[in-house]
Amino acid sequence: MGVDLERLVRYPANSEDWAKFLLVGSVLTALSVLIIPAVLLFGYFVRVLRAGMVEAAEPPGFADWRGLLYEGTVASVIVLVYQFVPLLIAAVTIGGTAAVFLTGADVGVGWGLAGLLAGLALATLLAAVFGYVTLIGLANYAYEGDLRAGFDLDVCRTVAFDGAYAVPWLYGVVVLVVGNVVAGVLGFVPIVGVLVVFYAQVAATWVWGKGFGDAMGIEAAPGPRATVTETVDRGPQP
């Protein structure tokens, strides 16, 4: 359950070709407002989850782009399914508020603002709750290499209530928050801010994978499933 904070912070820079790795990741992060770069990032983070499960010392590289795209597409489907309810609430809230504003009535505008804030607050809360479980689904997909594994409710329930996962999950959240704060401070240099965000995401994803591996009893090489250690870089192929 313990997390070596120094190892966690240093992990994304452990690659032999760390400069190229961080540059490619930063470019994809900067372009993640577009569908293809975002999907490729999802695929890469699936590999980082897999690396965390076996506590790999180095982050996986950006190899086999076709595999990244495939795994990223599956991961995107898993995320969208888990986040459907929060997204629906947000969409209904925004749509309802827009309709109220169109009435032009002062009272309607007041109620519309109140509804917008309440709806978005609820959507954000649910997104965080569902997000906790979403990561378990993604990690189980990374482990099993099967879309159906992403929705294994028995695994989700078991891991979600295990401190071996909960504690690393919290560490990952803290790393992300700190990374985004630092990126905000350094935002006047765009590429640096994006690099910090990607760096933090890799570290957080690795420790989430470690938490899943600890909760599931996945060992470092040789693990209980050879595919875990063999596919840290490549991932299961379509």
Side-chain angles (χ1 to χ4, degrees), residues 47-125:
R47 294 184 181 180
V48 178
L49 283 171
R50 193 177 293 120
M53 293 176 201
V54 295
E55 298 192 38
E58 297 183 10
F62 285 97
D64 181 23
W65 292 92
R66 179 170 173 266
L68 278 177
L69 189 62
Y70 172 75
E71 289 196 293
T73 300
V74 177
S76 299
V77 171
I78 293 173
V79 171
L80 287 174
V81 171
Y82 276 107
Q83 293 293 325
F84 177 76
V85 173
L87 288 173
L88 179 62
I89 291 176
V92 170
T93 298
I94 294 173
T97 302
V100 170
F101 282 170
L102 289 176
T103 65
D106 292 340
V107 174
V109 171
W111 280 106
L113 285 174
L116 177 64
L117 293 176
L120 292 181
L122 177 60
T124 301
L125 176 61

Side-chain angles (χ1 to χ4, degrees), residues 143-159:
Y143 180 51
E144 297 284 355
D146 187 338
L147 171 63
R148 292 169 295 181
F151 306 104
D152 189 326
L153 298 183
D154 288 334
V155 170
C156 288
R157 181 170 53 251
T158 299
V159 175

Side-chain angles (χ1 to χ4, degrees), residues 117-146:
L117 293 176
L120 292 181
L122 177 60
T124 301
L125 176 61
L126 289 177
V129 173
F130 280 93
Y132 180 80
V133 181
T134 300
L135 285 169
I136 300 173
L138 286 174
N140 201 40
Y141 162 63
Y143 180 51
E144 297 284 355
D146 187 338

